[in-house]
């Protein structure tokens, strides 16, 4: 039991399983494999964005502009597809990733070169990128009939029992795990947030690491922009409004510390799935949208409190060990 309470990933798996079982008593078929696959598919974009957000948070930063990045990039890609329908899909996807990475690089540069607090930078660029989407589109929409069938249908195509959108999310999860656990950048990200002073003495360039984390977050937001627009078959200025808070919530619920340096890819994925189960289940059992917002907020606050208590307890144990008197023979 103690191990269960200490291991956030195992605890989340148990809680999600209990939630699915409980909701299935009110909505028959909720726990069916087909419905669970649909929930994962619905949560795929959140999982991708949460992994980018996690990378930034690990470096003791935050990216509040991911949803605005998604909105602008999605609008740009959708308008390009509508204006030039003969362009290959691969080009449009690369274009989306490139624009998203560039917008993320702007955040990273301001944080790195000008030493502006990340929350201030990304709060500003959130508004700027939304405004850019409005200027680009003139406040108009790009609808399904303006986009090509290939652009819209590829993420929805089934493959081995799951839509391609779900497989893309799975590949991103594997890639994020490899980058953060097997590459020098991953170690630098954990070190930059966990102990910046020690990281500097170890030769880690904290500014450069944060810059790369913002670029990665932006690139994933760019990829998500195409997936979002194609999945919902529409692009407009306010798409994904408030979704940046969902990415932060998924990270916090998954055990990623806002103070930086603590967290895992599995935790971010499970945090996103936790939110996905709630958002899919509450409407089914008749909970109003306003109550859904309140419930989601309560869950986030409880997760923050849980994280804070766990980190405080760990800090007390370290201090107690340091204060222990030496035993003399």
């Amino acid at each position: 039991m103690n191990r269960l309470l200490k291991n956030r990933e195992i605890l989340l798996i148990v809680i999600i399983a209990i939630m699915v079982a409980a909701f299935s008593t009110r909505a028959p078929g909720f726990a069916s494999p087909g419905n669970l696959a649909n929930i994962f598919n619905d949560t795929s974009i959140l999982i991708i964005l949460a992994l980018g957000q996690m990378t930034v948070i690990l470096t003791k930063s935050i990216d509040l502009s991911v949803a605005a990045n998604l909105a602008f990039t999605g609008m740009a890609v959708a308008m390009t597809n509508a204006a030039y329908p003969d362009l290959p899909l691969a080009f449009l996807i690369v274009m989306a990733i490139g624009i998203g990475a560039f917008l993320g690089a702007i955040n990273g540069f301001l944080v790195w070169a000008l030493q502006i607090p990340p929350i201030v930078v990304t709060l500003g660029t959130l508004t700027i990128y939304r405004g850019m989407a409005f200027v680009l589109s003139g406040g108009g929409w790009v609808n399904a009939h303006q986009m090509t069938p290939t652009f819209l249908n590829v993420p929805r195509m089934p493959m081995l029992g799951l839509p391609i959108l779900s497989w893309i999310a799975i590949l991103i999860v594997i890639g994020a795990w490899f980058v953060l656990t097997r590459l020098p950048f991953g170690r630098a990200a954990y070190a930059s947030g966990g102990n910046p002073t020690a990281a500097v003495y170890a030769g880690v360039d904290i500014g450069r690491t944060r810059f790369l984390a913002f670029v990665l977050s932006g690139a994933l937001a760019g990829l998500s922009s195409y997936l979002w627009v194609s999945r919902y078959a529409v692009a407009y200025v306010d798409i994904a409004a408030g979704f940046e808070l969902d990415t932060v919530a998924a990270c916090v619920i998954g055990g990623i510390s806002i103070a930086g340096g603590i967290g895992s890819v599995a935790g971010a994925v499970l945090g996103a799935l936790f939110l996905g189960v709630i958002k899919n289940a509450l409407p089914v059992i008749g909970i109003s949208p306003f109550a859904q917002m309140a419930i989601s907020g309560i869950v986030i606050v409880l997760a923050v409190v849980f994280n804070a208590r766990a980190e405080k307890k760990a800090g007390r144990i370290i201090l107690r060990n340091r204060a222990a008197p030496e035993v003399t023979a």
Side-chain angles (χ1 to χ4, degrees):
M1 179 60 72
N2 288 335
R3 182 186 175 189
L4 175 64
L5 293 176
K6 291 180 181 178
N7 191 309
R8 175 62 68 91
E9 290 81 5
I10 295 177
L11 183 60
L12 274 174
I13 291 172
V14 171
I15 292 175
I16 291 172
I18 293 173
M19 286 170 47
V20 170
F23 288 134
S24 63
T25 61
R26 295 284 303 276
F30 186 82
S32 66
N35 188 61
L36 294 179
N38 287 335
I39 291 175
F40 181 82
N41 193 59
D42 289 342
T43 315
S44 293
I45 295 175
L46 176 58
I47 289 173
I48 294 171
L49 289 172
L51 290 172
Q53 187 72 260
M54 169 194 169
T55 307
V56 174
I57 291 176
L58 284 178
T59 66
K60 211 168 188 177
S61 302
I62 194 167
D63 188 357
L64 297 179
S65 69
V66 286
N69 184 331
L70 185 157
F72 173 77
T73 307
M75 179 63 73
V77 172
M79 291 179 66
T80 302
N81 177 248
Y84 304 98
D86 293 331
L87 286 176
L89 180 60
F91 174 84
L92 294 174
I93 293 174
V94 171
M95 173 184 169
I97 295 173
I99 294 174
F102 177 74
L103 297 182
I106 293 174
N107 291 334
F109 177 78
L110 294 174
V111 171
W112 179 16
L114 302 185
Q115 300 293 307
I116 304 175
I119 191 171
V120 176
V121 169
T122 57
L123 194 59
T125 54
L126 180 159
T127 305
I128 293 170
Y129 297 162
R130 287 280 179 190
M132 288 166 53
F134 180 84
V135 171
L136 180 65
S137 65
W141 292 36
V142 181
N143 297 312
H145 70 273
Q146 298 172 270
M147 306 178 203
T148 62
T150 301
F151 183 89
L152 293 173
N153 295 332
V154 166
R156 307 177 187 183
M157 292 173 57
M159 186 176 70
L160 301 178
L162 289 174
I164 288 180
L165 171 58
S166 295
W167 287 112
I168 291 174
I170 292 170
L171 290 176
I172 296 297
V173 170
I174 296 172
W177 171 83
F178 180 80
V179 168
L180 291 176
T181 62
R182 294 294 183 268
L183 295 184
F185 168 74
R187 294 190 289 271
Y190 278 98
S192 297
N195 193 330
T197 303
V200 171
Y201 282 110
V204 174
D205 188 334
I206 295 177
R208 179 175 176 273
T209 301
R210 286 178 177 166
F211 173 80
L212 293 176
F214 277 107
V215 172
L216 178 59
S217 177
L220 292 178
L223 173 62
S224 298
S225 72
Y226 161 67
L227 298 175
W228 185 292
V229 170
S230 63
R231 174 169 173 73
Y232 297 105
V234 66
Y236 58 97
V237 174
D238 290 329
I239 62 172
F243 211 64
E244 62 277 348
L245 300 182
D246 286 347
T247 67
V248 175
C251 290
V252 171
I253 292 170
I256 290 85
S257 173
I258 294 296
I262 299 174
S264 68
V265 169
V269 173
L270 290 169
L273 289 174
F274 181 93
L275 290 177
V277 170
I278 288 180
K279 290 188 175 185
N280 276 269
L282 295 184
V284 172
I285 62 177
I287 304 297
S288 72
F290 299 103
Q292 292 174 39
M293 293 173 61
I295 292 171
S296 297
I298 291 170
V299 169
I300 294 168
V301 171
L302 291 176
V304 171
V305 171
F306 186 90
N307 287 351
R309 288 181 61 84
E311 291 166 18
K312 186 176 181 181
K313 185 175 181 180
R316 287 177 175 174
I317 293 173
I318 293 172
L319 291 173
R320 186 164 62 245
N321 290 340
R322 287 179 176 176
E326 296 183 1
V327 178
T328 57

